[in-house]
Amino acid sequence: MAISKRVVLHFPRHLVGQTITYRLVKDFDLEFNILKASVTPKEEGLLVLELSGEQEDYEKGVRYLAEVGVRVQPLSQNVIRDEVRCTHCGACITICPTGAFEVEPSTRWVNFLHAKCIACGLCIKACPPRAMEVRF
Amino acid sequence: MPKTIAEINERIRKGQAVVVTAEEVIDIAEKEGVEKAAQEIDVVTTGTFGPMCSSGAFLNLGHSKPRIKLGGGSVYLNDVPVYTGFAAADICIGATALPNNDPRNRIYPGEFNYGGGHVIEELVAGKDIRLIATAYGTDCYPRKKIETLINLKDINEAVLFNPRNAYQNYNVAANLSDRPIYTYMGVLKPNLGSANYCSAGQLSPLLNDPYYKTIGIGTRIFLGGGVGYVAWQGTQHNPGVLRGDNEVPRRPAGTLAVIGDLKQMKLEWLRGMSFLGYGCTIAVGIGVPIPILSEEILAYCSVRDADIFAPVVDYSEAYPQREPDILGEVSYAELKIGRIMVRGREVPTASLSSYPKAVEIAKTLKEWIKRGDFLLTEPVAPLPGAESGVTFKSLEERLI
Ligand code: SF4
Ligand code: SF4
């Protein structure tokens, strides 16, 4: 079965220079789409990927990553909303490129739809009470 | 009919008053008709929760030992500079004040993560705040420096004062330019990519009392979760603007200056805000009760979003250059659906004021009144109306 998942890869410092993502394609037949990357030579590297391929290959690929020492996290855990700080104003709605915020017409509560979030980070600074946080 | 405020207060005291929110009254008036609804209903409660930069808190800190004259000195609360041009122990912190080391817009667009609004929020949250002050020293106030922690519960008075709040209608901000712009109306996408508005519409206090027939100086209100008062007309009060057939202003019009005890206020109704590329501020919750003294007043209260219109203004050129042009008018019903038509294009909308919070405020005020905890006041004096000649003036430069 073909699947597509968004994951956050944390590269420890000693792995930053190696061609790990390439092997996901070559050895495990996975397609990737980079959603966010921040790799600084002396620090931990971070890559947000959308990985697509056969379920079996995906699992093998993720196992390989873990073996070489890359920490893999599902993406949805990383962009979170502080429900106490959110005022349900709606300023985020036009900012989010993927439509991850939706107003409930009757109550006008603003729902945050985790599954649609690609962790682009645009809403973080645009939210006036700073209710949106990225945690990598 | 007509009723008086004294009669309504009598009913509130006995627990008999019929109180509904400005949202609920719409359906009641439609079903039962204005005449019957006006007989039945005693009070309509309104609410709004949005950013208002014209906000500050006056604090009396008490005297240290030895004493220090903060007036004329310099004072910082959590590194945010506060105004000290008052007596020895009185200071005022403004919502938009920034620490001196904030990069502001030198790193564009600036983030403005912490400022006066956030200090006020933390005071209300009961957190300790770092006070650092220097003064010049006098015979009666010899001390020249103090560093200490202060807490809202330990200081004498803490008063929230908003020289301007509860704007009666406001602009809808759009961006005609080809780059994103960062404004007090939020981030606006280029090429009419988005439009932001900031009013609770049908729930907003002054949109339910368009000619200030019940709201006046001295009106007791819900302010930041506590009890406050209308102190004056707000700054930029501009009652003479274009109005619709329903008398509701179609442009930014009246405003309220409000005052209340910060010590009574609650975190849910005061929130420090950061506007990317613009600055920081505070959002304040306000609720105003409207006594139903006549059918006319009930008719005003039953105004609905579809009948309230706001101007769409370009914030890339017309607004900063103070040009009067507008791109069109839209109703709050359209704004709330999430798309408006501007220059033949469909533009997605977003709000800066929180409608769910406005609903909660109107409901809370309703509960207070129904429980008999909150009595209505007779205004001491009216706010300047459309006939007053009070208008919003611009700053015209003159040669020095
Ligand atoms: S902009 Fe922030 S506070 Fe407003 S609805 Fe979105 S997440 Fe909530
Ligand atoms: S991080 Fe980006 S995709 Fe996720 S909710 Fe915020 S704006 Fe939308």
Side-chain angles (χ1 to χ4, degrees), chain B residues 55-340:
Chain B
S55 302
F58 285 84
L59 311 175
N60 178 286
L61 303 177
H63 290 278
S64 61
K65 185 177 176 194
R67 295 178 196 262
I68 183 167
K69 181 181 183 295
L70 300 177
S74 52
V75 175
Y76 295 86
L77 291 180
N78 284 357
D79 297 330
V80 177
V82 308
Y83 186 69
T84 59
F86 306 109
D90 295 308
I91 58 172
C92 174
I93 176 153
T96 67
L98 292 170
N100 292 338
N101 62 4
D102 188 290
R104 294 170 160 75
N105 257 345
R106 283 196 300 280
I107 300 168
Y108 179 83
E111 291 187 25
F112 305 103
N113 284 320
Y114 196 83
H118 299 91
V119 175
I120 297 172
E121 179 188 318
E122 288 191 15
L123 271 168
V124 169
K127 292 191 185 160
D128 282 337
I129 306 286
R130 212 171 54 252
L131 167 88
I132 297 183
T134 50
Y136 50 83
T138 72
D139 291 338
C140 45
Y141 294 95
R143 193 160 181 171
K144 292 191 176 160
K145 195 167 192 327
I146 187 167
E147 291 192 22
T148 183
L149 294 174
I150 62 164
N151 192 291
L152 188 65
K153 67 180 191 310
D154 303 324
I155 65 180
N156 289 314
E157 286 78 20
V159 177
L160 184 79
F161 181 54
N162 302 79
R164 174 168 71 258
N165 212 321
Y167 234 120
Q168 189 179 26
N169 213 344
Y170 207 71
N171 296 336
V172 179
N175 173 12
L176 290 180
S177 78
D178 56 8
R179 65 168 186 93
I181 60 170
Y182 303 92
T183 74
Y184 69 86
M185 292 295 287
V187 183
L188 302 171
K189 289 192 184 171
N191 306 312
L192 281 178
S194 65
N196 285 3
Y197 64 100
C198 190
S199 169
Q202 63 193 15
L203 256 185
S204 189
L206 291 177
L207 291 173
N208 285 284
D209 185 7
Y211 277 133
Y212 330 117
K213 294 201 178 208
T214 69
I215 304 172
I217 296 168
T219 298
R220 184 179 290 136
I221 61 170
F222 170 110
L223 179 61
V227 171
Y229 295 86
V230 174
W232 202 251
Q233 70 265 28
T235 54
Q236 295 181 188
H237 184 72
N238 197 20
V241 300
L242 178 72
R243 288 171 187 254
D245 294 339
N246 54 5
E247 329 284 4
V248 172
R250 298 172 85 104
R251 299 288 178 272
T255 66
L256 300 177
V258 296
I259 190 161
D261 180 5
L262 196 67
K263 292 192 182 193
Q264 291 180 16
M265 296 188 192
K266 306 213 165 47
L267 211 48
E268 299 116 274
W269 311 114
L270 279 181
R271 181 62 49 82
M273 299 256 160
S274 304
F275 278 79
L276 190 61
Y278 180 73
C280 67
T281 184
I282 195 167
V284 181
I286 291 196
V288 181
I290 298 181
I292 302 302
L293 304 175
S294 65
E295 281 171 27
E296 182 194 31
I297 288 167
L298 186 116
Y300 286 142
C301 286
S302 54
V303 71
R304 58 179 71 228
D305 284 333
D307 303 320
I308 307 172
F309 291 86
V312 184
V313 176
D314 168 38
Y315 272 61
S316 69
E317 186 64 24
Y319 184 84
Q321 297 306 327
R322 221 185 74 195
E323 300 297 341
D325 350 334
I326 64 166
L327 300 170
E329 281 185 319
V330 290
S331 75
Y332 279 92
E334 295 167 86
L335 286 165
K336 285 180 182 172
I337 286 169
R339 283 175 299 277
I340 53 172

Side-chain angles (χ1 to χ4, degrees), chain B residues 43-46 214-215 219-221 287-291 365 369 374 376:
Chain B
V43 187
V44 170
T45 58
T46 62
T214 69
I215 304 172
T219 298
R220 184 179 290 136
I221 61 170
V288 181
I290 298 181
L365 186 53
I369 298 171
F374 186 105
L376 308 190

Side-chain angles (χ1 to χ4, degrees), chain A residues 79 96-98 100-101 112 117-123:
Chain A
V79 174
C96 177
T98 62
F101 297 99
F112 171 45
C117 174
I118 55 160
C120 69
L122 288 176
C123 60

